[in-house]
Amino acid sequence: MNRYFYYNVTMTMMINLFLFVPRILIENRFHGAVMALIVGGAIGSLLAFLFTIAIRSFPGMGLPEIVRESMPAWIWKPLLLFFALYWFVSGTSIVNIISIMIVRFFNQNIKLTFLNIFFVLICIWAATRPTRTVLFGQEIAMVLCLPLLIFILAKAYSNNMMDWDAIRTVANYVGHPPSLIALSSASIVMIGYVNFCIFNRNFKQEGKIRYRWVLPIMGYLTLATTFFVPIGFHGTIGVGDYIHVWVATTDSLRMKYGFFDRVVYLFVLTYILLSFVYVSVVWHIAAELAKGCFSSKKPNLDKVETPALSWCICCIFGLLTILYQWAVKERMEAAYANYWIHIRFWSEIVLVCFLCYVARRKRKKVKA
């Protein structure tokens, strides 16, 4: 259980380097982003601690089983549908961004819609695998991707182009109060722990997640890297000119004796693999939550055959993703991402508070 928990947390930390979080924080670099890193990291760490304490009270149970025991059907069914939509949306934007990146940096002659359909088909197949298979696939991807990303970040920190004076200049704005969007974006770094709302089914014995003191350290290191490294490369003003700031940052790096001269190719290829796995994980969780609304049967974790309902739900996810890519332009997507980040922040707090409440109530019943 221990390593799979940290795989989920680390995967989310890495995927946020590629998404909207760096752009939002950098837009607020003079208006409270530094304080948002401090407060947001603390909020994310606190929610992660509370979640791990609460979920221990429900060994072998996922969120559908927990809410079914704790609420009337007219409450828990809409709640599960809401969280299924929440996880689905977090994967949809990734598919669109990765498709745009491949067209922009590898081959501009590829039709974006066709590429999106190809990615969607892969993610549908992967998301319909059994939960244990999804966890194993995630582990393989982390073993492959994490060393490459550590290597890229090490090259960034050791590069002579890193302007530490620019970093110190922005760090001096630590006294400015953070905006809500910056605070929500900073707290997202720890969000990977909520995946155990479904993955907890595979761990039937009550076990303690060890080394939780590492979580704040990992979170703050990721936030500092996400925010300060692009500023060090592009300057306090120039960093605001980029949409995908980390792609531009890695394009500033070179490997003199490497197979790839430009580090950006290694970075994008690594994130393609990581994004496939991430989308497969979140769509799998969304499908399991949606299935919980329609079936009261206890899930059979040892079953190899994919239920027809999983195929139907994931195909709907894929169709909606293709329609989203067709209807929403890249500039509009950034605005929608802000709304999703706000919703995610409050939804995460509500979810953790709910789990803490039902866990405390269950412990009281056991003692009585």
Side-chain angles (χ1 to χ4, degrees), residues 215-246:
L215 290 173
I217 299 173
M218 293 169 58
Y220 279 119
L221 285 175
T222 303
L223 285 171
T225 300
T226 301
F227 180 66
F228 285 116
V229 169
I231 292 172
F233 273 87
H234 306 294
T236 57
I237 304 301
V239 72
D241 296 335
Y242 299 98
I243 298 175
H244 302 288
V245 66
W246 262 95

Side-chain angles (χ1 to χ4, degrees), residues 60-243:
M61 296 174 65
L63 185 60
E65 294 79 46
I66 295 171
V67 296
R68 197 177 290 122
E69 288 185 356
S70 310
M71 292 180 170
W74 64 271
I75 294 179
W76 65 257
K77 285 189 176 182
L79 187 67
L80 286 183
L81 285 175
F82 169 77
F83 280 110
L85 182 63
Y86 160 85
W87 260 280
F88 156 69
V89 171
S90 67
T92 297
S93 58
I94 301 285
V95 175
N96 200 23
I97 291 172
I98 286 296
S99 300
I100 292 171
M101 289 296 101
I102 290 177
V103 171
R104 186 169 294 166
F105 287 94
F106 287 95
N107 191 343
Q108 297 182 1
N109 296 321
I110 300 176
K111 193 76 173 178
L112 182 61
T113 304
F114 293 156
L115 185 62
N116 214 346
I117 292 172
F118 174 71
F119 285 169
V120 162
L121 291 175
I122 295 175
C123 292
I124 288 174
W125 178 84
T128 53
R129 300 307 93 197
T131 301
R132 191 176 286 112
T133 304
V134 173
L135 284 170
F136 292 159
Q138 183 188 48
E139 182 173 18
I140 293 170
M142 291 299 301
V143 170
L144 292 174
C145 293
L146 189 57
L148 293 174
L149 287 176
I150 292 174
F151 168 73
I152 292 171
L153 295 177
K155 284 192 69 67
Y157 274 112
S158 61
N159 196 283
N160 293 329
M161 294 176 61
M162 177 76 79
D163 186 356
W164 294 97
D165 288 332
I167 293 175
R168 280 192 291 268
T169 299
V170 174
N172 287 332
Y173 287 84
V174 66
H176 291 243
S179 62
L180 181 59
I181 184 62
L183 190 63
S184 302
S185 300
S187 67
I188 203 174
V189 70
M190 305 295 297
I191 196 178
Y193 66 85
V194 294
N195 292 347
F196 262 67
C197 283
I198 291 297
F199 292 151
N200 193 55
R201 288 172 171 173
N202 284 73
F203 305 99
K204 300 184 183 299
Q205 295 181 351
E206 182 175 341
K208 185 177 180 181
I209 297 175
R210 295 172 295 173
Y211 313 118
R212 286 181 295 174
W213 55 268
V214 176
L215 290 173
I217 299 173
M218 293 169 58
Y220 279 119
L221 285 175
T222 303
L223 285 171
T225 300
T226 301
F227 180 66
F228 285 116
V229 169
I231 292 172
F233 273 87
H234 306 294
T236 57
I237 304 301
V239 72
D241 296 335
Y242 299 98
I243 298 175

Side-chain angles (χ1 to χ4, degrees), residues 92 95 113 116-118 120-121 124 283 316-327:
T92 297
V95 175
T113 304
N116 214 346
I117 292 172
F118 174 71
V120 162
L121 291 175
I124 288 174
W283 279 10
I316 292 172
F317 289 166
L319 180 60
L320 291 175
T321 301
I322 294 168
L323 293 175
Y324 174 84
Q325 182 269 321
W326 178 75

